[in-house]
């Protein structure tokens, strides 16, 4: 039974029990509605508590029902039933109260939460706005500005933070249900405090408008954050009934929108990414102590990522000077997090205690997993792993963070290569969500399962990739960049491509990114690999010519653009250089419209993706979309190229 209730003297406890996350599916709504009516009709009951079985409170409406015809009772009516109840209703929250679950809690007359509970309205991440009163009730508890912030970002907040904001009444210090019963007793015989009837604290309309504009700008073409933020403001100026109606209409309009369908694809794809039949019964190895060889930019970022997820981190660098530099890098990452308000100084200090620095590889003897993040050179890495294999325990997992080298060639120096895996973090490792979990030739199933489990505990998205040059991500990125370069030769200019790509929703166009990252390193690689290049393949020499002219990107003041102070300007010299190359090759240049630019990019990516899939490097089209979204800034609300072309559904 998904919902049942029992009585504790004159108080009813209504239990929702719909594993795994107590989503508000149709049957739960039906039974909850029934339970509420029974409790209201029972003259022996004077108050009720809504609580959940399992690991969490209600995590939202049932996403799997979106896109199907809605069936009564609707969540918004149920939420209203709770608010209208003549007897006090209390929400007792543990785990996560998200979306529709949070809206149920908002409509209750009192809210008590376990200390580790979290609250959020993540609807915008699904391309919709809250549809059961979230945009209307939340500002009545925490004010317009804080409500816009929570709803437009979809971020969750902790129970103590929620208490400070006035969102919940009590953070339970003992047993949640016992505390909820005690709280309920204090509310019996008093008029229920109905959130929808509370006045909204005074706010400045103009400031709210500016806040919404900022949300819209940050959303880069995604519709739902701006719509959700605007709904808060619209509702704040009309009676609650009208606000609820406006909200419901907008929710129903957006739930079937292209962006919502695309984001639901992403939601499902993310949950599919870690599922493999071959791993169904395989337990990951327990990992708590993690070693990191190398504390350069990548190693430092990886160390922070693990410390943030409560691992014990051992970093080894070759000498005291390198240790000192590594420590400074780690410290700088945390300092930036403190300055931006993401963590407190106390948290920074606590996390730093989890990371120890050493100059001797023997420090790794206690580690369950060792990841190398040293110079990307096969000889260097093979030497390191030869050493490591003789130092660490036989069950310690060994991982390489290489971007381009062959992990199997590195693994071959390890006596037991079944414990060898690739964990390809993206830079900056502490910020980027994607980790390619590279399935080496001899890998043991539990080692692969461990790679995925570690990625999940880090709060990252692990995507399994087979072994090939560049793995999934960099191979796709190369195909993307190649199409852009072809278009430059065929008639487009860097800013036209960047503008089209940014208007589509990427945070930065490819040429702005290259200027930021610098052109010199890839130039050096191209020169090194020149002999290996197939002369029959089309080669675009624009980047080489820019480098020959000393244009290495922002750091040299010019690249694909010229930089005047902080301003990026189109440079006629670059235009002339590109036109000259087209003419040398006998190409008649022609204009490119933004739509064609995007279509060419998607076609280029998809052609490469089809190859990657047919070679078995990627196991699912939906994984391709996730790699591009989480590693390369592809706009999630467009679903990904495989979704766009009907290859992933
Ligand atoms: N509806 C249906 N199924 C859901 C769901 C939801 N809202 N949320 C999670 N699930 C399912 C997942 O698909 C997965 O199913 P599977 O095992 O078959 O793959 C299972 O629950 C477990 O999910 P996770 O793997 O994500 O489990 P975690 O423990 O890592 O995370 C969570 C739990 C934090 C609750 C996470 O699942 C989550 O963030 N869920 C989405 C919450 C959300 O977006 N809620 C808003 C919904 S929209 C809404 O409420 C509209 C309302 O305003 C009207």
């Amino acid at each position: 039974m998904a919902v049942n209730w029992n009585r504790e003297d004159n108080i009813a406890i209504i239990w929702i029990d719909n594993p795994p996350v107590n989503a508000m599916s149709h049957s739960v709504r039906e039974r909850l509605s029934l339970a509420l009516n029974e409790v209201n009709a029972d003259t022996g009951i004077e108050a009720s508590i809504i609580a959940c079985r399992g690991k969490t409170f209600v995590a939202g409406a049932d996403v799997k029902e979106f896109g199907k015809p809605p069936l009564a009772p609707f969540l918004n009516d149920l939420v209203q039933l709770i608010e209208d109840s003549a007897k006090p209703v209390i929400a007792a929250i543990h785990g996560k109260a998200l979306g529709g679950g949070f809206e149920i809690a908002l409509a209750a007359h009192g809210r008590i939460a376990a200390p580790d509970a979290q609250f959020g309205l993540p609807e915008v991440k699904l391309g919709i706005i809250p549809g059961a009163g979230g945009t209307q009730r939340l500002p009545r508890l925490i004010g317009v500005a804080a409500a816009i912030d929570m709803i437009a970002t979809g971020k969750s907040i902790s129970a103590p933070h929620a208490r400070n904001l006035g969102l919940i009444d009590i953070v339970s210090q003992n047993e949640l249900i016992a505390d909820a019963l005690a709280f309920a007793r204090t509310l019996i015989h008093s008029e229920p405090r109905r959130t929808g009837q509370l006045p909204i604290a005074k706010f400045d309309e103009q400031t709210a408008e500016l806040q919404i504009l900022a949300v819209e700008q940050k959303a880069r073409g995604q519709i739902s954050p701006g719509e959700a933020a605007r709904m808060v403001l619209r509702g704040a100026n009309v009676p609650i009934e009208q606000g609820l109606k406006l909200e419901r209409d907008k929710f129903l309009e957006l739930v079937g929108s292209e962006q919502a369908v695309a984001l639901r694809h992403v939601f499902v794809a993310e949950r599919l990414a870690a599922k493999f039949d071959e791993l169904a019964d395989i337990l990951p190895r327990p990992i708590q102590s993690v070693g990191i060889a190398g504390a350069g930019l990548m190693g430092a970022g990886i160390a922070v990522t693990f410390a943030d997820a409560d691992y014990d981190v051992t970093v080894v660098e070759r000498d005291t000077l390198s240790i000192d530099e590594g420590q400074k890098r780690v410290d700088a990452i945390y300092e930036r997090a403190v300055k931006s308000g993401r963590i407190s100084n106390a948290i920074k200090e606590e996390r730093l205690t989890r990371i120890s620095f050493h100059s001797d590889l023997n420090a790794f003897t206690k580690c369950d997993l060792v990841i190398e993040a040293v110079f990307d050179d096969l000889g260097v890495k093979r030497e390191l792993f030869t050493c490591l294999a003789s130092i660490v325990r036989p069950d310690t997992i060994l991982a390489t963070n290489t971007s381009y080298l062959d992990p199997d060639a590195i693994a071959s120096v390890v006596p037991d290569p079944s414990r060898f895996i690739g964990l390809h973090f993206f830079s900056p490792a502490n910020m980027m969500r994607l980790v390619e979990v590279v399935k080496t030739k001899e890998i043991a199933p539990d080692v692969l399962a461990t790679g995925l489990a570690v990625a999940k505990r880090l709060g990252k998205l692990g995507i399994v990739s087979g072994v090939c040059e560049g793995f999934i991500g960099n191979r796709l990125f190369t195909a993307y960049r190649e199409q852009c370069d072809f278009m430059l030769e065929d008639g487009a200019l860097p800013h036209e491509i960047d503008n089209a790509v940014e208007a589509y929703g990427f945070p930065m166009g490819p040429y702005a990114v290259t200027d930021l990252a610098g052109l010199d390193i890839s130039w050096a690689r191209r020169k090194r690999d020149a002999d290996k290049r197939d002369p029959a393949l089309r080669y675009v020499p624009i980047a080489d010519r820019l480098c020959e002219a000393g244009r290495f990107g922002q750091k040299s003041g010019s690249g694909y653009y010229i930089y005047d102070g902080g301003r990026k300007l189109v440079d006629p010299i670059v235009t002339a250089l590109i036109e000259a190359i087209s003419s040398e090759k006998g190409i008649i240049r022609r204009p490119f419209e933004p739509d064609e630019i995007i279509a060419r990019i998607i076609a280029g990516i998809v052609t490469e993706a089809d190859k990657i899939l047919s070679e078995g490097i990627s196991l699912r089209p939906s994984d391709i979309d996730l790699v591009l979204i989480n590693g390369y800034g592809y706009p999630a609300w467009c679903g990904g190229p495989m979704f766009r072309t009907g290859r992933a559904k």
Side-chain angles (χ1 to χ4, degrees), residues 596-634:
E596 187 184 356
I597 292 173
I598 298 302
R600 280 270 297 259
I601 288 172
I602 291 181
I605 292 175
V606 160
T607 305
E608 190 63 26
D610 286 345
K611 282 190 217 151
I612 289 174
L613 286 163
S614 69
E615 291 164 19
I617 300 296
S618 171
L619 306 172
R620 309 183 174 105
S622 57
D623 282 358
I624 300 272
D625 288 341
L626 295 179
V627 166
L628 289 161
I629 289 167
N630 293 284
Y632 300 88
Y634 195 102

Side-chain angles (χ1 to χ4, degrees), residues 466-488:
V467 173
C468 67
E469 178 157 338
F471 310 124
I472 301 173
N474 281 335
R475 238 177 106 170
L476 293 172
F477 185 66
T478 304
Y480 158 47
R481 280 304 316 268
E482 192 178 66
Q483 281 308 317
C484 295
D485 285 354
F486 290 166
M487 284 188 279
L488 284 190

Side-chain angles (χ1 to χ4, degrees), residues 56 300 377 499 526 603:
T56 183
D377 174 88
N499 289 347
R526 284 196 301 278

Side-chain angles (χ1 to χ4, degrees), residues 117-452:
Q118 291 192 9
F119 303 83
L121 290 165
E123 282 86 343
V124 294
K125 296 183 189 168
L126 290 166
I128 54 177
I129 67 167
T135 63
Q136 306 303 301
R137 291 193 176 90
L138 187 60
R140 289 178 155 78
L141 287 174
I142 65 173
V144 166
I148 289 180
D149 187 44
M150 255 189 103
I151 292 172
T153 59
K155 282 194 188 140
S156 295
I157 61 169
S158 66
H161 188 181
R163 174 72 194 88
N164 287 342
L165 283 174
L167 195 55
I168 59 173
D169 303 285
I170 300 171
V171 179
S172 162
Q173 297 305 328
N174 306 298
E175 203 274 314
L176 178 64
I177 297 301
D179 282 352
L181 283 164
F183 181 32
R185 281 184 204 107
T186 68
L187 298 186
I188 292 173
H189 304 312
S190 57
E191 181 60 22
R193 182 178 183 252
R194 301 183 210 284
T195 312
Q197 302 308 320
L198 298 175
I200 294 185
K202 242 173 108 60
F203 65 96
D204 179 47
E205 191 97 17
Q206 248 183 338
T207 313
E209 277 291 350
L210 288 175
Q211 196 183 354
I212 293 169
L213 275 179
V215 166
E216 284 166 346
Q217 260 168 17
K218 201 161 170 223
R220 300 196 311 266
Q222 185 184 352
I223 294 165
S224 53
E227 290 284 11
R230 201 155 283 289
M231 192 54 69
V232 173
L233 186 57
R234 286 177 80 185
N237 291 314
V238 296
I240 179 87
E241 297 73 21
Q242 205 178 326
L244 289 172
K245 164 110 184 47
L246 287 169
E247 180 197 76
R248 185 73 187 163
D249 289 348
K250 184 56 78 179
F251 168 83
L252 291 173
E253 175 194 321
L254 290 183
V255 85
S257 68
E258 243 181 68
Q259 292 196 354
V261 175
L263 285 163
R264 286 206 289 278
H265 154 67
V266 174
F267 179 90
V268 173
E270 286 190 0
R271 273 134 194 106
L272 196 63
K275 288 200 178 105
F276 295 95
D277 290 347
E278 70 208 74
L279 299 182
D281 300 319
I282 305 289
L283 280 181
R285 296 186 191 178
I287 304 287
Q288 181 52 38
S289 175
V290 176
I292 294 158
L297 213 59
M298 206 63 200
I302 296 174
V304 166
T305 304
F306 276 90
D308 286 352
D310 258 334
Y311 287 94
D312 307 317
V313 183
T314 302
V315 179
V316 172
E317 256 297 356
R318 54 179 181 271
D319 51 37
T320 44
L321 184 69
S322 308
I323 289 180
D324 191 46
E325 284 169 357
Q327 276 174 321
K328 282 190 186 133
R329 277 188 205 104
V330 167
D331 202 76
I333 294 174
Y334 278 125
E335 201 44 46
R336 277 197 297 278
V338 171
K339 285 220 170 86
S340 69
R342 270 179 287 133
I343 59 168
S344 67
N345 215 25
I347 290 181
K348 170 189 162 186
E349 292 307 323
E350 193 266 322
R351 298 218 175 136
L352 282 174
T353 62
R354 295 180 198 162
I355 309 176
S356 63
F357 288 83
H358 308 261
S359 59
D360 183 352
L361 288 176
N362 284 302
F364 288 143
T365 44
K366 62 176 183 302
C367 292
D368 310 312
L369 162 71
V370 179
I371 305 170
E372 70 73 20
V374 299
F375 186 61
D376 220 14
D377 174 88
L378 188 60
V380 173
K381 297 203 191 236
R382 286 166 70 121
E383 197 180 317
L384 173 71
F385 279 107
T386 306
C387 256
L388 283 177
S390 66
I391 288 172
V392 298
R393 289 193 322 260
D395 63 332
T396 297
I397 294 178
L398 298 172
T400 174
N401 177 52
T402 186
S403 318
Y404 282 101
L405 298 174
D406 176 356
D408 287 325
I410 307 173
S412 65
V413 299
V414 176
D416 172 15
S418 73
R419 58 163 156 160
F420 197 90
I421 189 170
L423 289 177
H424 180 216
F425 289 84
F426 284 65
S427 186
N430 54 306
M431 305 291 278
M432 296 292 288
R433 189 163 174 242
L434 179 65
V435 179
E436 283 174 316
V437 178
V438 183
K439 193 176 171 189
T440 49
K441 202 164 58 196
E442 314 260 355
I443 195 167
D446 66 333
V447 173
L448 184 61
T450 308
L452 288 165

Side-chain angles (χ1 to χ4, degrees), residues 18-25 55-66 75-76 79 96-103 118 120-126 128-134 156 247-248 251 255 267-268 270-272 275 456:
N18 184 28
V21 297
N22 289 315
M24 278 280 127
S25 60
K55 64 175 183 178
T56 183
F57 194 73
V58 174
D62 190 335
V63 173
K64 295 182 185 101
E65 289 180 1
F66 289 173
L75 188 58
N76 54 322
V79 160
K96 296 191 167 137
L98 300 177
F102 187 30
E103 289 170 307
Q118 291 192 9
L121 290 165
E123 282 86 343
V124 294
K125 296 183 189 168
L126 290 166
I128 54 177
I129 67 167
S156 295
E247 180 197 76
R248 185 73 187 163
F251 168 83
V255 85
F267 179 90
V268 173
E270 286 190 0
R271 273 134 194 106
L272 196 63
K275 288 200 178 105
K456 175 145 191 175

